[in-house]
Structure formats: C-alpha cells, structure tokens
Amino acid sequence: MLSMMKLVNNTGQKSEKNICFVNTSLQLLRSIALVKDFFQKRLYRSGNDGRNMPICDELSRLLSNSGQFSASALRSLVGRSSEKLYLCDGTQQDPVEFLTILLQQIDKEIPLGNWDGKVFLQKFWGLEKTERKFLNNYGGKCTVCKALPRIEEENIHILRLNIPDTGSVVTLNSIIE
C-alpha cells in the first residue's frame, strides 16, 4: 500500500507554488521504501567531509514529514544547483526530467567516500543507448546526393528494476519494493 503525502500549492498558474511536477517526483520516491528509508535515516551523510548537502537535506525533510508541506524550496535548490533556472521560473515542467535532474544533483552531493550512498544510487540508474538507422530502397544511399542515411544515437536514462525469478504473479509495486 502506498504511503500518501498531503500536497499543497499544486496549481497550474505561473507561480513559485506551481510544484505539481515536484510533487509527482516526491510521491514516486516516497513510494519506494528503500529510498524513503535512505533519506529518513540520512544515510546519504555517511562519509560526509562536512560538505553542504542542501538537496539531500531538503529531500530528507520532505520524505520524513507526514503533514502538509510545500516542495518549492526543493524545486529552487534543484534548479539553481543544476543551472537549469527554468525549473525555478514558476512554470509547469516535465516530472520525468525533474526527477532525472534531481537524481543527478543527489549524486553530485553524495561524497565519493560514501560508497554505500553511491551504490544505493546505482540501483536506480541505468543508461540505454539506442541507435536508429534510416534505410531506403536505393542500395543504402540517397539517390540525389549519394550519401549514406544518417544514424541517430539517443541516450536514455532509465530506472533499473530487478525482476525476481518467481513462479508467482509479480506486480510493478512488488518489483519496486
């Protein structure tokens, strides 16, 4: 069963309080017990050399709080630290892009000496590379310019999930847990 968070300031207008996409990311992270535990217990601080970890600390506060809260501070921290200031301008943004940027910023904040923290993050990162080749019926070359078709590469960050080898029915929730 998912743990519900009471979200506030969830509007569609251009405003600092327009944080629907942040709340979506927080709901996802909170629904994964491993992630929630990692931030509630502040395990990201292991091996910290005294560095400032504002995004991890804010995420810890948000995932530990069972009452009302506003995630606009997290939105601003992520936007400024990633230098993607459009995240801070009060407009609606893509929740998947925000989650990806959030995870990247968390990775930057966790010190290299925190091996457990780095290994923890790797459980949720993957990179898939796809290559698309455009073919034609004219011997592989353009009939006008005689050039080969272009090849496009696309890197896709994915959330890796291990699927258990079991004979019983597996749900997405059980895989995430």
Side-chain angles (χ1 to χ4, degrees), residues 118-133:
K118 292 295 187 182
V119 169
F120 169 79
L121 283 174
Q122 289 304 309
K123 292 179 181 181
F124 302 99
W125 278 116
L127 185 63
E128 182 176 289
K129 186 175 186 175
T130 61
E131 184 175 280
R132 294 183 280 169
K133 296 181 180 180

PDB file of all heavy atoms in Angstrom, residues 118-133:
ATOM      1  N   LYS A 118      26.718   5.824  -2.948  1.00  0.00           N
ATOM      2  CA  LYS A 118      26.932   5.719  -4.398  1.00  0.00           C
ATOM      3  C   LYS A 118      26.344   4.414  -4.941  1.00  0.00           C
ATOM      4  O   LYS A 118      25.724   4.392  -5.993  1.00  0.00           O
ATOM      5  CB  LYS A 118      28.428   5.815  -4.735  1.00  0.00           C
ATOM      6  CG  LYS A 118      29.026   7.179  -4.475  1.00  0.00           C
ATOM      7  CD  LYS A 118      28.432   8.236  -5.372  1.00  0.00           C
ATOM      8  CE  LYS A 118      29.146   9.557  -5.223  1.00  0.00           C
ATOM      9  NZ  LYS A 118      28.566  10.613  -6.055  1.00  0.00           N
ATOM     10  N   VAL A 119      26.534   3.313  -4.214  1.00  0.00           N
ATOM     11  CA  VAL A 119      25.966   2.021  -4.626  1.00  0.00           C
ATOM     12  C   VAL A 119      24.440   2.092  -4.593  1.00  0.00           C
ATOM     13  O   VAL A 119      23.767   1.589  -5.487  1.00  0.00           O
ATOM     14  CB  VAL A 119      26.493   0.868  -3.739  1.00  0.00           C
ATOM     15  CG1 VAL A 119      25.727  -0.413  -3.968  1.00  0.00           C
ATOM     16  CG2 VAL A 119      27.980   0.661  -3.988  1.00  0.00           C
ATOM     17  N   PHE A 120      23.902   2.752  -3.582  1.00  0.00           N
ATOM     18  CA  PHE A 120      22.451   2.929  -3.476  1.00  0.00           C
ATOM     19  C   PHE A 120      21.906   3.622  -4.723  1.00  0.00           C
ATOM     20  O   PHE A 120      20.927   3.175  -5.312  1.00  0.00           O
ATOM     21  CB  PHE A 120      22.113   3.743  -2.220  1.00  0.00           C
ATOM     22  CG  PHE A 120      20.694   4.192  -2.163  1.00  0.00           C
ATOM     23  CD1 PHE A 120      19.693   3.314  -1.777  1.00  0.00           C
ATOM     24  CD2 PHE A 120      20.345   5.480  -2.521  1.00  0.00           C
ATOM     25  CE1 PHE A 120      18.370   3.721  -1.739  1.00  0.00           C
ATOM     26  CE2 PHE A 120      19.037   5.902  -2.483  1.00  0.00           C
ATOM     27  CZ  PHE A 120      18.040   5.018  -2.095  1.00  0.00           C
ATOM     28  N   LEU A 121      22.549   4.708  -5.138  1.00  0.00           N
ATOM     29  CA  LEU A 121      22.073   5.442  -6.308  1.00  0.00           C
ATOM     30  C   LEU A 121      22.169   4.611  -7.578  1.00  0.00           C
ATOM     31  O   LEU A 121      21.325   4.726  -8.471  1.00  0.00           O
ATOM     32  CB  LEU A 121      22.854   6.743  -6.474  1.00  0.00           C
ATOM     33  CG  LEU A 121      22.461   7.859  -5.526  1.00  0.00           C
ATOM     34  CD1 LEU A 121      23.400   9.041  -5.674  1.00  0.00           C
ATOM     35  CD2 LEU A 121      21.023   8.288  -5.756  1.00  0.00           C
ATOM     36  N   GLN A 122      23.192   3.767  -7.681  1.00  0.00           N
ATOM     37  CA  GLN A 122      23.343   2.947  -8.880  1.00  0.00           C
ATOM     38  C   GLN A 122      22.198   1.955  -9.060  1.00  0.00           C
ATOM     39  O   GLN A 122      21.944   1.504 -10.163  1.00  0.00           O
ATOM     40  CB  GLN A 122      24.683   2.213  -8.856  1.00  0.00           C
ATOM     41  CG  GLN A 122      25.873   3.127  -9.074  1.00  0.00           C
ATOM     42  CD  GLN A 122      25.772   3.914 -10.360  1.00  0.00           C
ATOM     43  OE1 GLN A 122      25.539   3.368 -11.423  1.00  0.00           O
ATOM     44  NE2 GLN A 122      25.932   5.222 -10.268  1.00  0.00           N
ATOM     45  N   LYS A 123      21.500   1.646  -7.985  1.00  0.00           N
ATOM     46  CA  LYS A 123      20.340   0.758  -8.097  1.00  0.00           C
ATOM     47  C   LYS A 123      19.241   1.377  -8.935  1.00  0.00           C
ATOM     48  O   LYS A 123      18.387   0.682  -9.456  1.00  0.00           O
ATOM     49  CB  LYS A 123      19.783   0.426  -6.707  1.00  0.00           C
ATOM     50  CG  LYS A 123      20.687  -0.420  -5.870  1.00  0.00           C
ATOM     51  CD  LYS A 123      20.066  -0.685  -4.522  1.00  0.00           C
ATOM     52  CE  LYS A 123      21.000  -1.524  -3.669  1.00  0.00           C
ATOM     53  NZ  LYS A 123      20.446  -1.820  -2.366  1.00  0.00           N
ATOM     54  N   PHE A 124      19.260   2.699  -9.044  1.00  0.00           N
ATOM     55  CA  PHE A 124      18.190   3.400  -9.734  1.00  0.00           C
ATOM     56  C   PHE A 124      18.629   4.045 -11.035  1.00  0.00           C
ATOM     57  O   PHE A 124      17.853   4.732 -11.678  1.00  0.00           O
ATOM     58  CB  PHE A 124      17.586   4.459  -8.802  1.00  0.00           C
ATOM     59  CG  PHE A 124      17.058   3.848  -7.552  1.00  0.00           C
ATOM     60  CD1 PHE A 124      17.795   3.878  -6.385  1.00  0.00           C
ATOM     61  CD2 PHE A 124      15.841   3.201  -7.542  1.00  0.00           C
ATOM     62  CE1 PHE A 124      17.318   3.295  -5.227  1.00  0.00           C
ATOM     63  CE2 PHE A 124      15.360   2.606  -6.398  1.00  0.00           C
ATOM     64  CZ  PHE A 124      16.096   2.660  -5.238  1.00  0.00           C
ATOM     65  N   TRP A 125      19.876   3.834 -11.420  1.00  0.00           N
ATOM     66  CA  TRP A 125      20.364   4.422 -12.660  1.00  0.00           C
ATOM     67  C   TRP A 125      20.656   3.333 -13.678  1.00  0.00           C
ATOM     68  O   TRP A 125      21.133   2.276 -13.354  1.00  0.00           O
ATOM     69  CB  TRP A 125      21.663   5.190 -12.449  1.00  0.00           C
ATOM     70  CG  TRP A 125      21.485   6.567 -11.942  1.00  0.00           C
ATOM     71  CD1 TRP A 125      21.908   7.036 -10.737  1.00  0.00           C
ATOM     72  CD2 TRP A 125      20.861   7.660 -12.583  1.00  0.00           C
ATOM     73  NE1 TRP A 125      21.581   8.350 -10.599  1.00  0.00           N
ATOM     74  CE2 TRP A 125      20.931   8.755 -11.723  1.00  0.00           C
ATOM     75  CE3 TRP A 125      20.229   7.823 -13.808  1.00  0.00           C
ATOM     76  CZ2 TRP A 125      20.408  10.001 -12.041  1.00  0.00           C
ATOM     77  CZ3 TRP A 125      19.711   9.063 -14.125  1.00  0.00           C
ATOM     78  CH2 TRP A 125      19.804  10.132 -13.244  1.00  0.00           C
ATOM     79  N   GLY A 126      20.398   3.647 -14.870  1.00  0.00           N
ATOM     80  CA  GLY A 126      20.787   2.801 -15.984  1.00  0.00           C
ATOM     81  C   GLY A 126      20.888   3.695 -17.192  1.00  0.00           C
ATOM     82  O   GLY A 126      20.336   4.790 -17.219  1.00  0.00           O
ATOM     83  N   LEU A 127      21.584   3.266 -18.174  1.00  0.00           N
ATOM     84  CA  LEU A 127      21.695   4.038 -19.403  1.00  0.00           C
ATOM     85  C   LEU A 127      21.466   3.089 -20.555  1.00  0.00           C
ATOM     86  O   LEU A 127      22.119   2.055 -20.653  1.00  0.00           O
ATOM     87  CB  LEU A 127      23.077   4.695 -19.502  1.00  0.00           C
ATOM     88  CG  LEU A 127      23.309   5.625 -20.672  1.00  0.00           C
ATOM     89  CD1 LEU A 127      22.367   6.821 -20.593  1.00  0.00           C
ATOM     90  CD2 LEU A 127      24.736   6.108 -20.682  1.00  0.00           C
ATOM     91  N   GLU A 128      20.526   3.432 -21.364  1.00  0.00           N
ATOM     92  CA  GLU A 128      20.219   2.617 -22.523  1.00  0.00           C
ATOM     93  C   GLU A 128      20.557   3.441 -23.756  1.00  0.00           C
ATOM     94  O   GLU A 128      20.190   4.604 -23.853  1.00  0.00           O
ATOM     95  CB  GLU A 128      18.729   2.267 -22.520  1.00  0.00           C
ATOM     96  CG  GLU A 128      18.313   1.374 -23.650  1.00  0.00           C
ATOM     97  CD  GLU A 128      16.846   1.003 -23.520  1.00  0.00           C
ATOM     98  OE1 GLU A 128      16.510   0.229 -22.621  1.00  0.00           O
ATOM     99  OE2 GLU A 128      16.054   1.519 -24.334  1.00  0.00           O
ATOM    100  N   LYS A 129      21.277   2.854 -24.648  1.00  0.00           N
ATOM    101  CA  LYS A 129      21.665   3.564 -25.858  1.00  0.00           C
ATOM    102  C   LYS A 129      20.950   2.918 -27.030  1.00  0.00           C
ATOM    103  O   LYS A 129      21.065   1.717 -27.241  1.00  0.00           O
ATOM    104  CB  LYS A 129      23.175   3.489 -26.047  1.00  0.00           C
ATOM    105  CG  LYS A 129      23.696   4.301 -27.186  1.00  0.00           C
ATOM    106  CD  LYS A 129      25.208   4.252 -27.203  1.00  0.00           C
ATOM    107  CE  LYS A 129      25.762   5.175 -28.239  1.00  0.00           C
ATOM    108  NZ  LYS A 129      27.212   5.234 -28.183  1.00  0.00           N
ATOM    109  N   THR A 130      20.217   3.715 -27.753  1.00  0.00           N
ATOM    110  CA  THR A 130      19.537   3.195 -28.938  1.00  0.00           C
ATOM    111  C   THR A 130      20.155   3.840 -30.166  1.00  0.00           C
ATOM    112  O   THR A 130      20.595   4.987 -30.134  1.00  0.00           O
ATOM    113  CB  THR A 130      18.023   3.489 -28.905  1.00  0.00           C
ATOM    114  OG1 THR A 130      17.827   4.900 -28.869  1.00  0.00           O
ATOM    115  CG2 THR A 130      17.361   2.852 -27.702  1.00  0.00           C
ATOM    116  N   GLU A 131      20.191   3.093 -31.219  1.00  0.00           N
ATOM    117  CA  GLU A 131      20.729   3.592 -32.476  1.00  0.00           C
ATOM    118  C   GLU A 131      19.683   3.366 -33.547  1.00  0.00           C
ATOM    119  O   GLU A 131      19.204   2.252 -33.734  1.00  0.00           O
ATOM    120  CB  GLU A 131      22.024   2.845 -32.816  1.00  0.00           C
ATOM    121  CG  GLU A 131      22.704   3.356 -34.052  1.00  0.00           C
ATOM    122  CD  GLU A 131      24.039   2.667 -34.288  1.00  0.00           C
ATOM    123  OE1 GLU A 131      25.023   3.051 -33.653  1.00  0.00           O
ATOM    124  OE2 GLU A 131      24.059   1.716 -35.086  1.00  0.00           O
ATOM    125  N   ARG A 132      19.314   4.445 -34.214  1.00  0.00           N
ATOM    126  CA  ARG A 132      18.330   4.340 -35.286  1.00  0.00           C
ATOM    127  C   ARG A 132      19.021   4.595 -36.619  1.00  0.00           C
ATOM    128  O   ARG A 132      19.702   5.602 -36.780  1.00  0.00           O
ATOM    129  CB  ARG A 132      17.205   5.365 -35.078  1.00  0.00           C
ATOM    130  CG  ARG A 132      16.383   5.063 -33.842  1.00  0.00           C
ATOM    131  CD  ARG A 132      15.262   6.030 -33.699  1.00  0.00           C
ATOM    132  NE  ARG A 132      15.810   7.260 -33.130  1.00  0.00           N
ATOM    133  CZ  ARG A 132      15.161   8.400 -33.056  1.00  0.00           C
ATOM    134  NH1 ARG A 132      13.943   8.500 -33.527  1.00  0.00           N
ATOM    135  NH2 ARG A 132      15.705   9.460 -32.517  1.00  0.00           N
ATOM    136  N   LYS A 133      18.855   3.673 -37.518  1.00  0.00           N
ATOM    137  CA  LYS A 133      19.424   3.829 -38.854  1.00  0.00           C
ATOM    138  C   LYS A 133      18.275   3.974 -39.834  1.00  0.00           C
ATOM    139  O   LYS A 133      17.305   3.210 -39.791  1.00  0.00           O
ATOM    140  CB  LYS A 133      20.281   2.619 -39.222  1.00  0.00           C
ATOM    141  CG  LYS A 133      21.487   2.456 -38.347  1.00  0.00           C
ATOM    142  CD  LYS A 133      22.321   1.279 -38.757  1.00  0.00           C
ATOM    143  CE  LYS A 133      23.516   1.142 -37.858  1.00  0.00           C
ATOM    144  NZ  LYS A 133      24.360   0.018 -38.220  1.00  0.00           N
TER     145      LYS A 133
END
